[in-house]
Amino acid sequence: MTQTASDSVLSADGEQRRFASLDPRTGEVVAHHPIHTAAEVEDAVSSAREASAWWAGLGFEGRKTKLDAWRRVLSKRADEFVALISAETGKPADDSRVEIALVLDHLHWAARHAGRVLGRRKVFQGMLMFNHSATVEYLPLGVVGVIGPWNYPAHTPMGSISYALAAGNAVVFKPSEFTPGVGTFLASTFSEAVPEYPVLQVVTGLGETGSALCSSGVDKIAFTGSTRTGKKVMAACAATLTPVLVECGGKDALIVDSDADLVAAAEAAVWGAVSNAGQTCVGVERVYVAEDVADRFIELAVKRVRKLKPGGEPTADLGPITMPSQVEVIREHVQDALDRGAKALVGGPESIRPPYVEPVVLTDVPEDSLAITEETFGPTVVINRVPNALEGVRLANQSKYGLGAAVFSKARGEELARELRVGMVSINAVLASAAIPGIPFGGVGDSGFGRIHGDDGLREFTFSRAVTKRRSKALVEMATFDRSSLAGKRALRLARMLFGR
């Protein structure tokens, strides 16, 4: 007998509720996890608050030593981690391995660069304030709450967890109810490497647990998920002026210019659309290809897609749809496009056989179709012809989302990238932004705001503190009621001499 992830049962004492995490390939229970109450979430935050003082006090080098130790534990237990990710998401083993590789890379980067990015530095004080020195440093917020997704249950939340920890914060992590075991694994391995204090804790449960974390008194919430849920998180946090970082997915477009390497562009488009069964926030959901190369591009893409098959075995090209309700969203988007006159080059409604969806390629899709305007989050892709790449950019920018995009062009890649209203652009590649630790990851519009990864990602979990120190007497004393009647005139005259020309 199988359960749904939200099925909860009572323990022997009739009090502690729990829920099951399921293998979406089979419906079998992977494990049971507690549904933490609001009181338990507050207790976790309270203990994290105590731990944060010790953690911040270690300094950058002390934290780096601890984070490096955690990274080694994760590396040693990688096979176990791979199996767990695949069990809870259904994704092929190689996809899980790549995800863990990214976790290790980002954790290494954050620990190594936190001191450089956040440490105290001198700032030029300006000519008018020559008699002062000025410094800026970035200090940890205290306790950061992270609410993670299920599609990349390790890599995506670690984009917040790694950087928040490196910046000196304690973290309370609420993983998706579909992948609670991954969150528990991260917390337990951290405790193995850092046993002194509960610097990283996990709370498991359904939506109520996430809501409790938002109102628990954390100093910031980092959320990844749907735009609809992101708005609820923002509303909950607004009551206490808790700042939020929100990454809400996208409807990423790939632009294929007339001079593109079509073989590479087709392979990238298929990978970006179908890998992880299309369950990728920066995956390719729309392709706009220049008319004069469209036939060849479509031929190459269709040929590649037809070789791909979903399955539950470790070597499958793509796994199941992890969240059962998403299957109906995919079905609705495909059917809506076809009803509006689109053509299915590969697959169609018959490709949707839960929990699996075979790849679907649509063309001639009207721009007001759901498959164009809303995030599908499945192994489907729209390929539409455009007169030229600039028209593709224009259509790409019509989306309410603005997370990422890709451009394939030999001569105009950077020119086209500058015109795209998104947070990230890959030129002659797809998904590259997510894999480079040193650059910021995030979007605009309905894709949310704030940044993880890179220098910006480290600063996201801090507040800046500016310190000035008077070193000598000023030429013109302004900050006193004993100033002369000529002081203001002299200050303005000096400013005009320095800056008015």
Side-chain angles (χ1 to χ4, degrees), residues 176-193:
S176 166
E177 60 266 34
F178 293 96
T179 54
V182 174
T184 300
F185 184 89
L186 287 170
S188 66
T189 52
F190 184 89
S191 296
E192 184 179 333

Side-chain angles (χ1 to χ4, degrees), residues 224-270:
T224 304
S226 70
T227 300
R228 181 168 59 90
T229 304
K231 290 178 179 180
K232 293 180 180 179
V233 168
M234 290 178 63
C237 290
T240 54
L241 286 180
T242 301
V244 295
L245 182 160
V246 182
E247 196 267 278
C248 297
K251 192 71 183 178
D252 287 13
L254 186 155
I255 315 299
V256 182
D257 203 358
S258 299
D259 68 343
D261 180 334
L262 297 182
V263 173
E267 178 64 30
V270 172

Side-chain angles (χ1 to χ4, degrees), residues 301-450:
V302 166
K303 182 179 180 181
R304 188 70 184 92
V305 168
R306 283 179 173 154
K307 296 179 180 179
L308 304 176
K309 299 295 181 185
E313 62 276 9
T315 57
D317 296 308
L318 60 151
I321 303 303
T322 303
M323 188 169 70
S325 62
Q326 196 65 28
V327 173
E328 293 309 311
V329 174
I330 298 167
R331 190 193 309 276
E332 181 185 12
H333 287 195
V334 171
Q335 191 61 58
D336 177 70
L338 295 174
D339 290 345
R340 290 170 177 265
K343 300 174 184 176
L345 300 177
V346 178
E350 70 279 4
S351 303
I352 303 169
R353 295 190 288 271
Y356 297 100
V357 175
E358 294 183 349
V360 177
V361 179
L362 302 170
T363 192
D364 300 331
V365 180
E367 288 294 313
D368 59 351
S369 300
L370 293 174
I372 291 285
T373 62
E374 300 296 332
E375 187 175 39
T376 305
F377 229 56
T380 68
V381 64
V382 171
I383 303 177
N384 278 351
R385 302 165 184 262
V386 288
N388 52 60
L390 285 175
E391 175 63 9
V393 169
R394 186 187 72 81
L395 293 174
N397 285 341
Q398 286 186 340
S399 175
K400 61 185 178 182
Y401 295 102
L403 188 56
V407 173
F408 270 79
S409 176
K410 293 178 180 176
R412 297 198 299 166
E414 293 186 8
E415 172 191 342
L416 295 170
R418 281 194 297 271
E419 299 300 319
L420 286 160
R421 185 181 175 272
V422 295
M424 303 163 286
V425 183
S426 297
I427 300 175
N428 297 328
V430 294
L431 311 184
S433 299
I436 300 176
I439 60 175
F441 183 102
V444 297
D446 275 19
S447 291
F449 52 85

Side-chain angles (χ1 to χ4, degrees), residues 3 7 9 18-21 29-34:
Q3 297 174 283
D7 284 340
V9 297
R18 61 179 187 161
F19 69 105
S21 67
V29 173
V30 177
H32 285 94
H33 297 270

Side-chain angles (χ1 to χ4, degrees), residues 82 86 91-100 271 314-316:
V82 166
S86 292
K91 66 177 64 179
D94 266 354
D95 285 3
S96 298
R97 293 185 183 102
V98 170
E99 185 169 352
I100 294 171
W271 170 258
T315 57

